Amino acid sequence: MKKGWFVQMLATYDYHGLINFFESLAPSVRYSLTKPLLVLSVLYPGITAFTAMFFPAVEATLGISGPAFIAMSAAFIMELASGLAASHISKQQFSSLRLSRFTFKVFIYLVIIAVPYHWQENFLARHKEFMAAVFDWLQSVLIVQIAFENIISILENLAVITGKDKTAWINKIKDKLTSLYNG
C-alpha cells in the first residue's frame, strides 16, 4: 500500500488533512469541549442508573417521567452554570443571595409542576375524567412554559458569555417567531 493513501482518500471527500477529518468527527475539539463532554458522557449512564431508584418518587411527586426530570434538571444546572459564568464575565461577585434566588425559583417551578398533577390525581380518584384531563393539560402547558423560560434565561447568559448584549439571541428568536406569524 502506498504511504499517505488515507490522506489522499480523505482529500476526495474535501478533508484537508487528518486534523480537518478528526475535527469533523469530533467538532468539540475545535471548541475545547472534548474533556467536559467526555466527563458527561462517562457520568451520565451512572447518574441515570443511580437516579432510577428515585424516579418512582419523582413521578409520584411531580407526575413526570425520569428522563423528563433529568432533562429538566439539566436545564436548571445549565441555567445555573451559565449564570455563574455570565456573572464572572460581568465581574459580578458570587453571592449566596443570588444562589438562594435561583434555588427558590427552582422550588417554585417544581411546585407549579406538582400541583396540577396532584389535582389531576384527585379528580381521577373521584372518577371525574374531564377535570383530570383539564389538569393534565394544564400541567403540560406549565412544563412547556417553564422549559421556555429556562431556555430564555440560558440564552441571556450565553449572550453575556459571548460578549453580546443580553437580548441579542432572544431578539433573533423573537424576530424569527414574528416573521412566522406575519409570514
Side-chain angles (χ1 to χ4, degrees), residues 26 65 76 98 111 126 140 148 159:
S65 69
F76 291 151
R98 293 179 72 199
V111 169
R126 295 179 11 202
S140 295
F148 285 150

Side-chain angles (χ1 to χ4, degrees), residues 78-162:
M78 185 178 284
E79 182 182 354
L80 177 62
S82 64
L84 290 170
S87 293
H88 178 72
I89 287 170
S90 301
K91 295 182 177 29
Q92 295 176 346
Q93 233 178 353
F94 175 80
S95 76
S96 60
L97 175 66
R98 293 179 72 199
L99 182 60
S100 333
R101 280 180 43 173
F102 172 79
T103 305
F104 184 62
K105 183 172 75 168
V106 169
F107 173 76
I108 296 299
Y109 282 158
L110 294 176
V111 169
I112 288 171
I113 291 169
V115 167
Y117 171 69
H118 289 284
W119 278 101
Q120 173 200 7
E121 291 294 306
N122 174 57
F123 283 113
L124 279 176
R126 295 179 11 202
H127 306 290
K128 299 191 180 205
E129 285 76 18
F130 177 76
M131 288 305 295
V134 167
F135 280 99
D136 181 49
W137 173 84
L138 178 61
Q139 185 195 36
S140 295
V141 168
L142 292 170
I143 288 170
V144 169
Q145 186 63 36
I146 289 166
F148 285 150
E149 298 301 338
N150 274 283
I151 291 167
I152 289 170
S153 183
I154 292 166
L155 289 174
E156 285 177 336
N157 293 336
L158 290 176
V160 171
I161 291 167
T162 58

